[in-house]
Amino acid sequence: MFFLKSGRLRMQRVTPDGGTVSLHIVRPGETCAEPSLFSSRYHCDMLAETDAEVWLFPKKELVDSLRGNPESLWDFAGGLARGLQGMRQRYELKQIRSAPERVLQLLRLRCDDSGAYRTSGSLKDMAAELGLTHEALYRAMAALERSRRIRRSADLLQILPTKPE
Amino acid sequence: MFFLKSGRLRMQRVTPDGGTVSLHIVRPGETCAEPSLFSSRYHCDMLAETDAEVWLFPKKELVDSLRGNPESLWDFAGGLARGLQGMRQRYELKQIRSAPERVLQLLRLRCDDSGAYRTSGSLKDMAAELGLTHEALYRAMAALERSRRIRRSADLLQILPTKPE
DNA sequence: TTCTTCATGTGACTGCAATCATAAATCCCG
DNA sequence: CGGGATTTATGATTGCAGTCACATGAAGAA
């Protein structure tokens, strides 16, 4: 198990046909590979996309520590639950076929109360997270802007309220 | 939080455009809605696909019980971790665009050591789990059978070894 | 038995994202 | 200030899963 201090990691697996599947983007402050504590084998690749600072925890010590300290175990479980919820959100995202609708849904999930979302990283990263090619994302955003459903300025994306009929 | 004693539940959400997204099929023996213990609101629909027997646990009592019993909390965390791993697998599955490859990957994940997988439920259920229409699944399976990459007999699916060049 | 329902399957067509190609804009480094 | 790399775009084409229509078969009820 590890904790990401700084940088950005991509958790991915290679499909049998040679394609890569991005499972998760790990950002600073996140812990990762929790399931490995409960099962003997865990199989996926971690890719550092930038220089990164990672804290590694030996499995045995961590398990002992958690089992001896119910309070931290509770926090740990909370992190797992949040991870599960986040994963469910991302899974839901992928069920949406239409590229523009998918982008819109991501914005709905990520934006603050005012409906604004500041992009972190490049649009290509965002495309990877959405499971779209970058071309499809550019087109989707252009279409959303044309139909006045979002507004863009620099790295700020804003959802526009849908006009009532 | 609840525990499913018998029957089958579908966990789903409704997308803004009116479509439904199946997040998870709950089967007997599974617990569900764990993240709700850690966050105040949880938002998705549960749909009973058959008559079902469900045990409901009041949040407060369950939280108190887990916090007072480290051993069961550990098991609980293990369940969350497995859920996360399973969700990651399903997410990975959806990244695979080609229907036949997707079916194959599901079989790889689910089959026993001999490469066999016994379907539980109808193929339509399997299609829903894969995020494919049933027509696409039928065609994918027919194609896999024609190209001798799988074999089918009744509800038994078997992956055939790929012939070396 | 017949009627209904649902799972299984196949064919025809369509829509849309992937793919390939190309180019402008931007960033970064020396 | 170049100049190569990367990001941000846009156009043309294609592949493939979705969609609709329809047929068959099996299970259950009347």
Side-chain angles (χ1 to χ4, degrees):
Chain A
M1 253 239 352
F2 60 85
F3 171 82
L4 181 60
K5 181 68 176 167
S6 67
R8 194 169 69 240
L9 302 181
R10 181 184 301 271
M11 188 190 228
Q12 68 175 29
R13 284 177 76 173
V14 178
T15 56
D17 55 332
T20 60
V21 177
S22 136
L23 292 173
H24 190 54
I25 306 294
V26 188
R27 298 183 181 283
E30 286 183 55
T31 57
C32 217
E34 293 91 344
S36 67
L37 296 183
F38 299 91
S39 71
S40 55
R41 299 183 316 152
Y42 193 70
H43 34 326
C44 85
D45 301 329
M46 297 297 321
L47 206 68
E49 299 199 310
T50 65
D51 286 347
E53 195 179 346
V54 176
W55 294 356
L56 288 169
F57 297 96
K59 176 173 171 177
K60 186 175 181 319
E61 290 172 30
L62 186 61
V63 169
D64 290 347
S65 156
L66 283 176
R67 293 183 71 101
N69 184 344
E71 196 53 40
S72 67
L73 177 53
W74 178 256
D75 293 342
F76 179 72
L80 286 174
R82 267 188 302 282
L84 186 56
Q85 202 172 12
M87 206 62 214
R88 288 217 176 102
Q89 276 187 351
R90 304 186 61 199
Y91 183 78
E92 173 184 12
L93 216 52
K94 302 223 63 170
Q95 295 276 61
I96 301 174
R97 201 88 41 187
S98 152
E101 283 302 324
R102 197 135 121 198
V103 172
L104 217 47
Q105 182 66 12
L106 181 76
L107 295 183
R108 285 197 198 95
L109 291 175
R110 295 290 160 79
C111 70
D112 56 32
D113 296 338
S114 71
Y117 173 67
R118 194 165 294 278
T119 58
S120 61
S122 68
L123 292 183
K124 289 187 76 164
D125 293 339
M126 188 173 157
E129 186 174 358
L130 279 164
L132 293 172
T133 59
H134 59 278
E135 296 99 317
L137 175 60
Y138 296 138
R139 274 187 254 268
M141 294 191 66
L144 286 171
E145 218 176 355
R146 270 197 304 277
S147 58
R148 309 207 183 286
R149 303 184 62 182
I150 65 168
R151 201 166 40 184
R152 303 176 59 187
S153 56
D155 61 346
L156 188 74
L157 298 178
Q158 190 146 10
I159 303 179
L160 297 178
T162 48
K163 195 180 302 175
E165 308 306 297
Chain B
M1 255 242 346
F2 61 85
F3 172 82
L4 181 60
K5 182 68 177 166
S6 70
R8 193 169 69 242
L9 302 181
R10 181 184 299 272
M11 189 190 228
Q12 68 177 28
R13 284 177 78 174
V14 177
T15 56
D17 56 330
T20 61
V21 177
S22 138
L23 292 172
H24 191 55
I25 307 293
V26 188
R27 299 184 180 283
E30 286 184 54
T31 56
C32 216
E34 294 92 345
S36 66
L37 298 183
F38 299 91
S39 71
S40 53
R41 299 181 315 153
Y42 193 71
H43 34 326
C44 85
D45 301 330
M46 296 298 320
L47 205 67
E49 299 199 311
T50 65
D51 285 347
E53 194 180 348
V54 176
W55 294 355
L56 287 169
F57 297 96
K59 176 173 171 177
K60 187 176 182 316
E61 289 173 31
L62 185 62
V63 169
D64 290 348
S65 155
L66 284 174
R67 291 184 71 102
N69 185 343
E71 197 53 41
S72 67
L73 177 54
W74 177 258
D75 292 341
F76 179 72
L80 285 174
R82 269 188 303 280
L84 186 55
Q85 203 172 10
M87 206 62 214
R88 288 219 175 101
Q89 276 187 351
R90 306 186 58 200
Y91 183 78
E92 174 185 12
L93 216 54
K94 301 223 60 166
Q95 295 276 62
I96 301 174
R97 201 85 43 184
S98 152
E101 284 301 325
R102 197 136 121 199
V103 173
L104 217 48
Q105 182 66 11
L106 181 76
L107 294 183
R108 286 198 196 95
L109 291 175
R110 296 289 161 78
C111 69
D112 56 32
D113 296 338
S114 72
Y117 171 66
R118 193 165 296 277
T119 58
S120 60
S122 67
L123 291 183
K124 289 187 77 165
D125 293 339
M126 189 174 155
E129 187 175 358
L130 279 164
L132 293 173
T133 58
H134 59 277
E135 295 100 319
L137 176 59
Y138 295 138
R139 274 186 253 268
M141 294 190 66
L144 286 171
E145 218 176 356
R146 269 198 304 277
S147 59
R148 310 205 184 287
R149 304 185 60 183
I150 65 168
R151 199 164 41 181
R152 302 176 59 186
S153 55
D155 61 347
L156 189 74
L157 298 178
Q158 190 144 11
I159 302 179
L160 297 178
T162 49
K163 194 181 306 177
E165 310 303 299

